[in-house]
Amino acid sequence: MANGEREAGAVPLPAPGGAEHPTPGGDAPAGGFVQLLTPDGERVDSVTTADGMTYSVDFTDEEYRKLYADLVTVRRLDAEATALQRQGELGIWASLLGQEAAQVGSGHALRKQDMAFPTYREHGVLYTRGIDPIMPFGLFRGVDQGGWDPNEYKFNTYTIVIGSQTLHATGYAMGITMDGKTGSPDGEAVIAYFGDGATSQGDVNEAFVWSGVFNAPIVFFCQNNQYAISEPLERQTRIPLYRRAAGYGFPGIRIDGNDVLATYAVTRAALDQARNGQGPSLIEAYTYRMGAHTSSDDPTRYRIASEVESWKAKDPIARVKAFLAKQQIADDTFFAEIDESAKKLALDLRERVLAMPDPQPVTMFDNVYPHGSPEVDGQRAEFERYHASFEGSDH
Amino acid sequence: MVETITLGKSLNHGLRRALEDDAKVVIMGEDVGKLGGVFRITDGLQKDFGEDRVIDTPLAESGIVGTAIGLAIRGYRPVCEIQFDGFVFPAYNQIVAQVAKMFYRSLGNVRLPIVIRIPFGGGIGAVEHHSESPEALFAHIPGLKVVSCANSADAFMMIRQAVVSDDPVIFFEPKRRYWEKGEVDLDADLGQAFPLHKARITRAGTDATVLAYGPMVRTALDAASAAAEDGRNLEVIDLRTLSPLDMETVYASVKRTGRAVVVHEAPGNLGLGAELAARITEECFYSLEAPVLRVTGYDIPYPAARVEEDYLPDLDRVLDAVDRSFGW
Ligand SMILES: Cc1ncc(C[n+]2csc(CCOP(=O)(O)OP(=O)(O)O)c2C)c(N)n1
């Protein structure tokens, strides 16, 4: 890495105090957040934060409709997955319900050459990357461990051990710098997804340190959905998460994670700064996990119904629909069409999930090492001999 | 009062007793408080003992164990919950480099009476990192004690014994057996308890010794019942303690039966079975009718849920090993 060549002071310093936000409508947490579309579907033209950054979007009507379609589709696919799990067709499902805007907005902010490192919940990002939504279902059905090629899709494998992927993302971003692929508008950047709970992990804090020290082209995208399984945010932090960035020496900003426009605008700007060589930043997407942590969880044990109700009023999709209707960008026919096409996709997904074959047991010995190993190969042979010994019996 | 309750509920009762018996006992971990743990092992304890004694921690395993060390230096007796086997590794540094060595380093001045509970093993159809058996990685570390319970009665007593122990104890819980029921004497006195670091013959037999612990004890007992139909009388030993191993019980049994089969879910390579086979061979060489055989997980990462039944040792594989022993 051209570390020694970097001039002292070449690393852009964050604005003192980080990016404090103007507080929009009544739904923002203390400290505010960037919001470009209110829960009622009112557009805010632009937002300027205390560090002088101005955020806005200039989508065409067609692009607005596409955003809406994606939001509806990822929610519909998610509902199908939840149903499949209940019917015993998936072992478990981690629902994104409520987090559609954070995922669709940030996913669209990625340019083709950018790399994403997801947790286990980023089905919406996966979809907006243009990836077949069936891809993670092998993992949730239990037929594989989430096997795909990260480089082919510019989308890393799902990572279950909390926080690990933030370091992988940082290393990948360091590699971009080493390859000389930053410093221009067509440079590359990385986005690392993680939750509010993950911010407590050592790995995540190390990723912050490393990305700062090496000025890595990375955006840390934290979906603060208010819970880590049963534990509320207060169990992880005593300051707003976006403010942590200041301590590591890079900008931190909070967005209304239920606002797809703010999410898009801020993430796009942060990624472009990163690809231009201006280093890392942290985005806290303030949102809410509307469902259970996973299908194994029972949220009634730790949160009250009225809280969930209050977040329903901030639904990420309803506000886009209201905006499109008010602006006459879309009408009821369009909305019905989108519902219909989302449903079709969901039913197609269902059929294909049901058709997923169980793996042949012997394949469990595959891919332990790139070039095999005499021990594993021996055990595979033994396994086959043992199972052949039952052939013909009623075993 | 003798009750028939699940293994999970027995642990819950045991932890409750531990909290009642000593005000210095604290429980800490992810989701252990309000939720009562993802397996509900600590259900109701925060409600009854308060947030200072049953602590929902930030999401960081190194933090859980690291702060438990400080609490222990300060005179507390922390019981840490690691949510799943595969998530203990962020804490592995603290466990190996600090928990295991503090007593030695401090010339015996600092005892760390910490219990680290880990639900382990497979068979629940879970995704990656939720089905592993890392016990050998801990049994290998001098300074740690490692135990595993296999039934409700032991769960209730062993967790209490682990808490009062002055040693750091890694406490492996057979998660797929959490829902199995057994009789527990809820008034049992710790003073009369079967010793924590002793193996138990759970089924007396004469023809071969099957050694198991945790989730595999049930499998071994089932195999013994099946073998009995074929006229083979297997002895099943529940090891209970993995470090130290109670070899006296094992040697005595193998010297009687002349055959030993070790069963565990963990990969065979350098597992508990390897250590047991070596020691049995050294001590019982002239009594052995056949080599000590192992029935274990394969030397691969834990596979996808839909093939885990083919990975896990089952009744047939245990019987196959017994057959091979007799065919030697
Ligand atoms: C190292 C580690 N510890 C514990 C777990 C178990 N676990 C799975 S998800 C989760 C909570 C994660 O919360 P957060 O980071 O806020 O993300 P969210 O699931 O809410 O999206 C926990 C504790 C894990 N997967 N990895």
Side-chain angles (χ1 to χ4, degrees):
Chain A
M1 149 158 247
N3 203 9
E5 292 160 38
R6 209 172 63 209
E7 283 169 46
V11 182
L13 292 174
E20 287 307 314
H21 327 89
T23 304
D27 62 315
F33 53 26
V34 177
Q35 187 183 71
L36 294 174
L37 186 64
T38 70
D40 299 333
E42 298 297 335
R43 271 284 274 114
V44 180
D45 271 347
S46 71
V47 172
T48 302
T49 51
D51 59 0
M53 291 286 292
T54 296
Y55 299 100
S56 64
V57 291
D58 57 347
F59 288 124
T60 62
D61 288 358
E62 191 49 43
E63 286 167 336
Y64 275 124
R65 285 192 288 265
K66 167 78 176 135
L67 276 179
Y68 176 80
D70 282 0
L71 289 166
V72 170
T73 304
V74 301
R75 177 172 290 184
R76 184 62 183 82
L77 294 176
D78 187 77
E80 199 63 36
T82 297
L84 282 164
Q85 196 283 330
R86 292 208 179 116
Q87 293 152 5
E89 297 295 342
L90 300 179
I92 191 171
W93 180 246
S95 166
L96 57 63
L97 189 64
Q99 300 176 217
E100 295 86 354
Q103 297 199 10
V104 169
S106 62
H108 274 294
L110 291 164
R111 296 188 193 271
K112 208 167 169 282
Q113 68 270 27
D114 294 341
M115 178 74 174
F117 285 79
T119 68
Y120 38 79
R121 208 186 285 286
E122 271 68 64
H123 328 306
V125 180
L126 181 146
Y127 181 76
T128 55
R129 292 246 81 184
I131 301 169
D132 184 343
I134 197 152
M135 199 163 79
F137 279 78
L139 187 165
F140 292 105
R141 191 165 163 85
V143 304
D144 62 40
Q145 307 279 39
W148 59 79
D149 178 358
N151 284 311
E152 180 182 347
Y153 297 100
K154 289 279 180 183
F155 189 83
N156 194 50
T157 53
Y158 275 3
T159 301
I160 292 172
V161 180
I162 300 294
S164 304
Q165 75 284 0
T166 57
L167 277 169
H168 312 158
T170 301
Y172 187 99
M174 289 165 64
I176 291 176
T177 310
M178 289 154 117
D179 291 343
K181 297 286 172 134
T182 58
S184 74
D186 61 354
E188 294 178 39
V190 175
I191 192 164
Y193 288 92
F194 54 103
D196 42 291
T199 62
S200 295
Q201 280 288 5
D203 277 8
V204 175
N205 290 274
E206 290 174 28
F208 291 166
V209 169
W210 281 66
S211 64
V213 166
F214 294 103
N215 196 41
I218 183 168
V219 174
F220 292 105
F221 193 93
C222 177
Q223 287 170 84
N224 174 4
N225 65 9
Q226 314 299 331
Y227 286 93
I229 308 187
S230 71
E231 296 192 8
L233 184 64
E234 299 74 52
R235 285 282 116 181
Q236 316 294 343
T237 189
R238 53 185 273 176
I239 57 160
L241 292 173
Y242 74 94
R243 288 213 192 141
R244 295 241 182 114
Y248 294 96
F250 51 81
I253 186 165
R254 184 160 57 195
I255 57 176
D256 178 352
N258 283 11
D259 170 3
V260 69
L261 305 185
T263 303
Y264 174 87
V266 172
T267 312
R268 187 32 90 86
L271 284 165
D272 285 348
Q273 283 183 344
R275 83 180 75 258
N276 277 320
Q278 287 163 266
S281 55
L282 168 64
I283 297 173
E284 176 190 353
Y286 200 79
T287 179
Y288 194 76
R289 197 194 75 209
M290 294 299 291
H293 168 71
T294 65
S295 47
S296 312
D297 178 38
D298 172 12
T300 61
R301 290 180 76 105
Y302 54 82
R303 67 185 191 188
I304 48 173
S306 62
E307 182 185 291
V308 183
E309 280 310 307
S310 76
W311 276 91
K312 270 193 187 148
K314 307 181 203 178
D315 185 76
I317 302 184
R319 68 177 76 185
V320 179
K321 189 172 185 180
F323 167 71
L324 295 182
K326 253 184 279 190
Q327 298 299 314
Q328 298 183 344
I329 297 172
D331 56 14
D332 284 346
T333 320
F334 171 79
F335 296 134
E337 268 169 32
I338 297 302
D339 285 347
E340 196 46 42
S341 67
K343 183 176 163 194
K344 255 187 151 153
L345 261 183
L347 295 181
D348 171 65
L349 178 76
R350 157 176 292 269
E351 258 176 42
R352 289 191 294 144
V353 167
L354 296 184
M356 272 183 164
D358 276 355
Q360 286 300 314
V362 72
T363 60
M364 74 169 105
F365 294 96
D366 294 348
N367 301 313
V368 183
Y369 302 98
H371 305 293
S373 118
E375 285 175 345
V376 174
D377 295 346
Q379 289 179 19
R380 179 207 309 269
E382 181 55 28
F383 180 88
E384 286 180 317
R385 183 207 62 77
Y386 174 71
H387 283 273
S389 74
F390 289 106
E391 243 146 61
S393 77
D394 58 357
H395 182 76
Chain B
M1 186 184 25
V2 177
E3 277 191 39
T4 303
I5 51 177
T6 64
L7 194 156
K9 191 70 193 161
S10 307
L11 288 166
N12 179 266
H13 278 295
L15 289 167
R16 175 176 290 278
R17 282 292 290 275
L19 286 162
E20 281 165 2
D21 290 349
D22 184 348
K24 290 293 184 189
V25 172
V26 292
I27 290 175
M28 50 202 294
E30 295 155 10
D31 307 290
V32 298
K34 208 162 186 187
L35 185 65
V38 294
F39 290 108
R40 308 291 185 261
I41 304 303
T42 54
D43 193 23
L45 299 181
Q46 187 185 64
K47 192 169 133 279
D48 294 343
F49 295 90
E51 292 186 16
D52 290 340
R53 301 213 40 216
V54 182
I55 306 166
D56 272 329
T57 67
L59 203 178
E61 289 75 11
S62 180
I64 293 168
V65 175
T67 56
I69 294 172
L71 283 162
I73 295 172
R74 180 80 195 170
Y76 285 87
R77 302 184 90 86
V79 181
C80 304
E81 174 173 305
I82 301 294
Q83 204 160 78
F84 281 89
D85 34 63
F87 307 139
V88 70
F89 300 109
Y92 197 59
N93 164 52
Q94 288 288 352
I95 296 172
V96 174
Q98 305 302 332
V99 173
K101 299 181 174 73
M102 189 68 85
F103 187 66
Y104 194 73
R105 177 190 303 142
S106 69
L107 297 175
N109 283 298
V110 182
R111 296 177 184 190
L112 294 182
I114 298 172
V115 178
I116 300 172
R117 297 179 35 241
I118 308 178
F120 83 124
I124 62 162
V127 294
E128 203 185 357
H129 316 293
H130 293 73
S131 307
E132 298 174 10
S133 298
E135 61 274 15
L137 299 179
F138 297 91
H140 190 66
I141 306 300
L144 300 177
K145 293 206 169 164
V146 184
V147 302
S148 181
C149 57
N151 58 60
S152 294
D154 273 356
F156 177 63
M157 293 309 272
M158 286 173 74
I159 189 65
R160 295 167 62 200
Q161 290 170 302
V163 173
V164 300
S165 165
D166 283 337
D167 297 303
V169 178
I170 314 294
F171 194 93
F172 281 101
E173 302 172 359
K175 72 167 86 81
R176 76 157 130 156
R177 310 292 184 205
Y178 273 152
W179 299 273
E180 288 188 8
K181 287 189 176 174
E183 280 191 359
V184 181
D185 178 2
L186 291 174
D187 303 317
D189 192 40
L190 263 191
Q192 278 129 46
F194 190 80
L196 180 61
H197 295 293
K198 235 181 131 25
R200 185 193 278 122
I201 297 172
T202 38
R203 185 187 197 283
T206 49
D207 299 343
T209 305
V210 181
L211 303 163
Y213 54 88
M216 284 291 108
V217 174
R218 160 77 14 233
T219 307
L221 287 169
D222 290 347
S225 302
E229 287 168 22
D230 295 339
R232 269 190 196 137
N233 189 1
L234 304 186
E235 177 144 306
V236 176
I237 295 184
D238 176 358
L239 289 170
R240 300 169 82 254
T241 175
L242 308 184
S243 180
L245 285 163
D246 169 20
M247 293 310 296
E248 295 316 313
T249 303
V250 174
Y251 294 150
S253 171
V254 176
K255 280 178 182 165
R256 267 190 291 107
T257 63
R259 300 175 198 280
V261 172
V262 192
V263 189
H264 56 65
E265 290 186 20
N269 187 26
L270 294 171
L272 263 294
E275 182 62 29
L276 286 158
R279 293 200 206 178
I280 292 168
T281 309
E282 283 166 8
E283 186 65 24
C284 310
F285 191 70
Y286 290 107
S287 310
L288 285 173
E289 305 285 346
V292 180
L293 297 178
R294 288 174 287 170
V295 182
T296 68
Y298 300 105
D299 293 320
I300 60 174
Y302 197 87
R306 296 248 172 173
V307 292
E308 71 179 333
E309 293 307 327
D310 284 289
Y311 172 88
L312 293 167
D314 60 6
L315 182 149
D316 287 319
R317 281 177 65 198
V318 176
L319 292 180
D320 176 66
V322 170
D323 279 348
R324 281 186 285 128
S325 179
F326 277 92
W328 203 267

